[in-house]
Amino acid sequence: MMLSCLRSRLARCLTSGLAAFVILLAVAPQLASAQSLPSLPGATGSDTAASGDSAAKSSEPSLDDLIKILENDDTRKKLVESLKAAAYQAPKDGKADQAADANPEKPGEIVRTLPGQVAEYTRMIIGVVAESVQEVPQYLELSADMLSGASSIDLPSILRAILPVALVALVVFAILFGSRYLERRIFARLAHGAEHASPIRKLAYLILSGLVEAFVVVLSWACGYLVATLYSGTRPGFSQALFLNAFLLIEMIKVGLSAFVAPNYPSLRLTPFSNRQASYWYFWLSRLVSILGYTFLFVAPIVQWASTQAAAEATQFIVAFGSLCLTIGLILKNRGVVRERLKRARKNGDTSFRAFVHALIGQIWWVLAIAAAIAVFVVWLQSPRDGLQFVAVAAGKSIAAMALGGLLFSTLSRMIAHGVTVPQELKYRLPLLERRLNGFVPKILTVFSVVVVIVVFTYILDAWDISNFAGWFSSNTGQTIIAGFLGALLIVVIAVGIYLGVSSWIEYRLNPNYGRVPTARERTLLSLFRNAFTITLVVVISMLVLSQIGIDIAPLLAGAGVVGLAIGFGAQKLVQDIITGAFIQIQNAMNEGDVVELNGVSGVVEQLTVRSVGLRSVDGTWYLIPFSSVDQVANFSKDFAYYVADIGVAYRENVEDVKAMMIDAFEELKGTNVGENLISGFDMWGVNELGDSAVVVRGRVMTKPGTQWGVGRAYREIVKRIADERGIEIPFPHMTIWFGEDRDGKAPPIRMRNDPAARQKVVESEAVQRPSEDRDMTRHGTSEADGRPIPPDQVDIDSAGGGRG
């Protein structure tokens, strides 16, 4: 029964009446009982009486009874249940014992595993192919029978019937071709407007061009109808009406085909065809449509009217067989071209699954195409009337689905390739928005493209009665799955929108070039909030998506709780990192961009997370320090800082002269490029230390946070130069040199030459080589070229007298 059902879907070899009769015979044993039909819910008393009377009158089942059963929803459902029960009854004549031995747990029931089902379907398909091969002689006999009517074709009668159509056809095609010549200007303007348009606007231009072409067809048909009416006097004749109807339908199909490939205007084309390919396939497909359409809708009815039914069938067979041969020839001629096009991505190094599938289809596409063409011809051959209607309707649905799906798929593909472009003003406010949109939107459009392909494929299968996806979609299971998928997709889209909105707002707040400049604390808290928000959003959306597609998340939440508890005991250090980091952030101990010292490591804070801090030292080394190991935080960028100047001079120098030198050096410092970092005046503290070889005089100045080391470098440079100019000695560690003695206790003389004039020349030459402008241009290590602070090293900290702000 399943084999015959599959054969009926693949070959459509039975007419509707024969199919109803076979179904009635199949369910006759179940309908023979007097209690079966009357007890069906929804059956009326009159139906029961009629059934009883018909059963009494004849022992054979009536087709009217089956029609009544199928018209009622309740009785039809009952009939389906009876058919299922009849199909899966336990085998008889000793087969039940074999089935019971195959499955001891469930006697009488065969285990239907996935490999078993695959093997069963494979066997059925092989059986269908074998039976189709066996029926080849039958197909040849049918062809011979249809060709036998060619001898009854009456050409003079056919010509007399077609003669009234000549004037109408001449007027119709003259208006059609003339209007198409005039519409080229309209199409040229539309193509020029769509040349640099977005995919949506290009689709609008394409629809507008299709409407213009359809209007031309309708205008030509109306003019032909008017001419036919004037010619006959009252209304168009039979042959004229046939021609006009055929013309309207065929040309409308060609309009849809033209919109799909756009052969003459590449700017309007949304499908991935080149100009040569579009023109080539449009030429041959339009010719096939015209040949088959005018033959079956106009020529064959005229032949039947003027000759006989057999002559009309012979005409249809000759044209259909010729079209089949032409189709096979086109497929074989373009076999290599299509194969190379499908394998192009694979040859260019693309190793994706999509490229592999395209390459595989490129190897066998021509076999599948020829098989499909022959199958359509066989379906029509077995049932010329119903088969023609079925093939025409199925082909029309398939072409419409492929055209619409192709346009949508091409539009989405172009949108994916084109990307998303944001206005310049918005890009100035949100520099990363365009990159984020181009990271999410193409993926969502790719999902929509896959959905379009699946819908078109299932619709085509339903149109050819190969599957029944429409029934599955209307069932509870199908609606549940589709609703869950659409709900999950909607949740993901909303989540992406929320993420883009929040990320864009954070980016806007962190953008120093637009709006209010964020503080260091705002930058830190917003960065932490973005990380926490992203993690929370991903977890919540994942749970919602799993719940939407039908997965019970209660066990997942319970399992996550248990796993979280176990991880909590094993990851106490991680918890300590998070808690310590939270308190450090609450107290605002440091922020991104601050110069800090943690655990003996000083550097600029580049990254702050919930559990660690990243430092960049002065030599470029990046340190990752967990918060649990931080026992103290030394922040050099908090509010303000001090530079402590400890100047050591020789014991013989006058302290007042040293103080004056330090104050003069500070006054000169204010005129340099680091003077903008000074907040207060110079505080002179006086002698701070009487060292082993120097007298240390201390002073202090308040600076902006993080700039004290650059100020100190510039100040020490000025002090050194003024000390040299004024002859103030800056001592250094002394060393006693022993030159030895002879036996008499006399030491050799030491000859030293002190030339103050020569030393003054050296100082003046150094001043010339290093002018004051160059000294002012140095940044003294205060900040990088991009404005980032330069972290200190241990020498800087020690030279500043331990001043940490």
Side-chain angles (χ1 to χ4, degrees):
M1 182 175 180
M2 294 179 64
L3 181 60
S4 63
C5 181
L6 183 59
R7 285 187 55 205
S8 65
R9 289 183 176 179
L10 294 176
R12 300 281 297 179
C13 62
L14 299 175
T15 63
S16 60
L18 183 59
F21 182 71
V22 171
I23 294 175
L24 188 60
L25 291 179
V27 301
Q30 285 74 32
L31 301 177
S33 176
Q35 295 83 5
S36 60
L37 289 179
S39 61
L40 290 174
T44 61
S46 61
D47 295 337
T48 305
S51 300
D53 295 339
S54 62
K57 291 179 181 178
S58 176
S59 60
E60 297 180 358
S62 173
L63 189 59
D64 295 334
D65 296 336
L66 179 60
I67 294 175
K68 292 179 180 179
I69 294 173
L70 296 178
E71 287 178 348
N72 188 283
D73 294 337
D74 296 331
T75 56
R76 185 170 61 253
K77 292 181 180 179
K78 189 66 177 180
L79 177 60
V80 173
E81 294 177 359
S82 301
L83 290 174
K84 290 182 179 179
Y88 296 105
Q89 285 182 353
K92 299 180 181 180
D93 300 334
K95 295 182 180 180
D97 297 335
Q98 298 176 4
D101 294 337
N103 187 8
E105 298 180 358
K106 297 182 179 180
E109 183 180 351
I110 301 176
V111 179
R112 304 179 65 85
T113 59
L114 180 60
Q117 293 179 1
V118 173
E120 182 180 357
Y121 285 123
T122 304
R123 179 177 60 83
M124 292 169 56
I125 293 174
I126 294 176
V128 171
V129 174
E131 291 192 9
S132 300
V133 173
Q134 294 176 1
E135 292 178 355
V136 170
Q138 179 183 354
Y139 301 149
L140 295 177
E141 184 178 355
L142 289 174
S143 301
D145 292 341
M146 296 187 70
L147 280 174
S148 62
S151 59
S152 62
I153 298 177
D154 188 0
L155 290 179
S157 300
I158 296 173
L159 291 177
R160 284 194 300 271
I162 296 178
L163 187 59
V165 183
L167 180 59
V168 177
L170 180 62
V171 172
V172 167
F173 285 110
I175 296 177
L176 177 65
F177 291 118
S179 301
R180 285 184 175 174
Y181 179 79
L182 295 176
E183 72 182 9
R184 292 181 181 178
R185 295 183 178 180
I186 300 176
F187 281 6
R189 291 186 179 182
L190 293 176
H192 179 72
E195 187 173 359
H196 301 289
S198 62
I200 300 298
R201 292 189 60 187
K202 183 171 291 188
L203 178 61
Y205 281 117
L206 183 61
I207 294 175
L208 183 59
S209 65
L211 292 177
V212 171
E213 198 167 1
F215 173 76
V216 171
V217 173
V218 173
L219 178 63
S220 303
W221 173 84
C223 293
Y225 195 90
L226 179 61
V227 171
T229 303
L230 296 176
Y231 178 83
S232 60
T234 55
R235 57 181 179 179
F238 174 72
S239 58
Q240 295 171 341
L242 283 176
F243 171 77
L244 291 174
N245 294 336
F247 169 81
L248 183 62
L249 179 60
I250 293 170
E251 293 302 324
M252 282 299 180
I253 294 175
K254 292 167 68 174
V255 167
L257 182 62
S258 175
F260 182 70
V261 297
N264 300 319
Y265 302 95
S267 300
L268 294 173
R269 189 181 305 129
L270 292 177
T271 50
F273 290 108
S274 63
N275 293 334
R276 186 187 66 82
Q277 292 174 340
S279 301
Y280 178 84
W281 287 111
Y282 176 75
F283 175 83
W284 286 109
L285 291 178
S286 61
R287 297 305 183 274
L288 282 174
V289 170
S290 299
I291 292 172
L292 293 174
Y294 284 111
T295 298
F296 283 87
L297 298 178
F298 173 64
V299 177
I302 293 295
V303 173
Q304 180 181 355
W305 178 66
S307 299
T308 60
Q309 174 67 29
E313 292 180 354
T315 303
Q316 292 177 349
F317 178 82
I318 294 173
V319 175
F321 185 76
S323 300
L324 175 64
C325 295
L326 178 60
T327 302
I328 295 176
L330 288 174
I331 293 173
L332 293 177
K333 182 180 179 181
N334 295 275
R335 177 181 59 181
V337 176
V338 177
R339 180 182 66 245
E340 295 302 322
R341 181 173 178 83
L342 291 175
K343 295 175 63 176
R344 182 186 303 172
R346 189 78 172 177
K347 289 184 177 180
N348 292 335
D350 189 357
T351 58
S352 62
F353 178 75
R354 179 180 180 182
F356 172 76
V357 173
H358 285 178
L360 180 61
I361 295 176
Q363 292 294 123
I364 62 175
W365 79 271
W366 61 277
V367 178
L368 300 177
I370 292 176
I374 295 175
V376 172
F377 178 77
V378 169
V379 168
W380 171 81
L381 186 64
Q382 289 180 339
S383 180
R385 294 183 179 179
D386 297 337
L388 176 61
Q389 181 180 0
F390 168 76
V391 170
V393 173
K397 291 181 179 179
S398 301
I399 293 174
M402 288 189 295
L404 182 59
L407 290 177
L408 291 177
F409 184 81
S410 300
T411 303
L412 294 175
S413 300
R414 288 178 178 270
M415 292 176 65
I416 293 172
H418 185 267
V420 180
T421 304
V422 299
Q424 188 63 34
E425 178 66 18
L426 187 59
K427 185 185 297 185
Y428 180 70
R429 294 185 180 184
L430 308 172
L432 301 179
L433 178 60
E434 183 173 342
R435 187 175 67 183
R436 290 195 182 99
L437 289 175
N438 289 320
F440 287 106
V441 174
K443 294 181 176 61
I444 297 176
L445 294 179
T446 302
V447 174
F448 286 151
S449 301
V450 174
V451 172
V452 169
V453 172
I454 293 175
V455 171
V456 171
F457 183 72
T458 55
Y459 183 81
I460 293 175
L461 293 180
D462 283 358
W464 293 94
D465 282 354
I466 299 176
S467 63
N468 189 22
F469 286 101
W472 180 79
F473 289 149
S474 61
S475 63
N476 294 331
T477 303
Q479 291 179 358
T480 301
I481 294 177
I482 296 301
F485 172 77
L486 294 179
L489 184 61
L490 180 62
I491 290 174
V492 172
V493 172
I494 293 175
V496 171
I498 294 175
Y499 174 78
L500 289 176
V502 174
S503 300
S504 300
W505 176 78
I506 294 175
E507 179 187 352
Y508 171 75
R509 289 295 301 117
L510 294 178
N511 189 359
N513 299 323
Y514 204 92
R516 184 168 58 87
V517 178
T519 62
R521 179 174 177 79
E522 287 178 335
R523 292 196 302 267
T524 302
L525 294 179
L526 288 175
S527 299
L528 292 176
F529 172 72
R530 177 167 51 193
N531 297 333
F533 172 77
T534 302
I535 296 173
T536 304
L537 183 65
V538 169
V539 173
V540 173
I541 294 303
S542 300
M543 294 294 104
L544 290 177
V545 169
L546 293 176
S547 176
Q548 193 67 30
I549 62 178
I551 298 178
D552 188 8
I553 63 174
L556 294 177
L557 295 176
V562 175
V563 173
L565 184 62
I567 293 177
F569 282 111
Q572 297 182 11
K573 201 71 172 177
L574 176 63
V575 176
Q576 184 180 357
D577 291 338
I578 296 175
I579 295 176
T580 306
F583 278 103
I584 289 177
Q585 295 305 317
I586 291 174
Q587 296 176 357
N588 196 20
M590 57 180 159
N591 297 293
E592 290 186 1
D594 288 354
V595 181
V596 298
E597 182 180 3
L598 305 176
N599 298 349
V601 178
S602 59
V604 179
V605 177
E606 286 193 351
Q607 180 184 4
L608 272 176
T609 63
V610 294
R611 62 168 300 270
S612 62
V613 56
L615 297 183
R616 180 77 64 179
S617 65
V618 67
D619 58 356
T621 305
W622 191 76
Y623 294 90
L624 182 65
I625 302 175
F627 282 124
S628 60
S629 63
V630 177
D631 51 1
Q632 66 176 4
V633 177
N635 194 333
F636 304 122
S637 303
K638 199 72 171 177
D639 300 331
F640 60 90
Y642 284 109
Y643 166 64
V644 180
D646 287 334
I647 304 299
V649 296
Y651 272 89
R652 65 179 178 82
E653 301 295 342
N654 189 344
V655 174
E656 296 300 328
D657 294 339
V658 175
K659 290 181 179 181
M661 178 191 66
M662 295 175 65
I663 294 175
D664 293 340
F666 175 74
E667 294 297 331
E668 184 177 343
L669 179 67
K670 291 191 296 183
T672 62
N673 54 0
V674 298
E676 60 184 9
N677 298 325
L678 302 176
I679 298 178
S680 67
F682 192 79
D683 298 333
M684 178 58 65
W685 288 2
V687 178
N688 186 66
E689 181 183 0
L690 297 175
D692 295 336
S693 60
V695 176
V696 179
V697 181
R698 171 170 290 185
R700 191 181 73 169
V701 60
M702 180 184 293
T703 66
K704 294 180 180 179
T707 63
Q708 59 268 38
W709 305 286
V711 171
R713 295 187 186 100
Y715 184 75
R716 288 191 293 271
E717 180 179 336
I718 296 174
V719 167
K720 173 64 171 61
R721 179 172 51 81
I722 295 178
D724 292 340
E725 293 174 354
R726 299 181 181 182
I728 299 176
E729 180 184 357
I730 300 177
F732 50 88
H734 292 76
M735 180 181 299
T736 302
I737 301 177
W738 183 70
F739 290 92
E741 296 180 351
D742 55 12
R743 292 176 179 269
D744 299 332
K746 297 180 179 179
I750 299 176
R751 300 184 180 276
M752 298 183 65
R753 181 179 179 183
N754 186 8
D755 191 353
R759 187 181 60 167
Q760 183 64 28
K761 291 181 180 180
V762 172
V763 173
E764 292 177 354
S765 63
E766 290 180 353
V768 172
Q769 295 176 1
R770 190 184 67 250
S772 59
E773 299 87 44
D774 295 340
R775 294 196 306 270
D776 292 342
M777 291 301 293
T778 178
R779 299 297 299 176
H780 299 98
T782 302
S783 60
E784 301 283 0
D786 55 0
R788 292 183 296 108
I790 297 178
D793 56 11
Q794 196 61 38
V795 176
D796 291 323
I797 297 175
D798 294 340
S799 64
R804 289 172 170 79

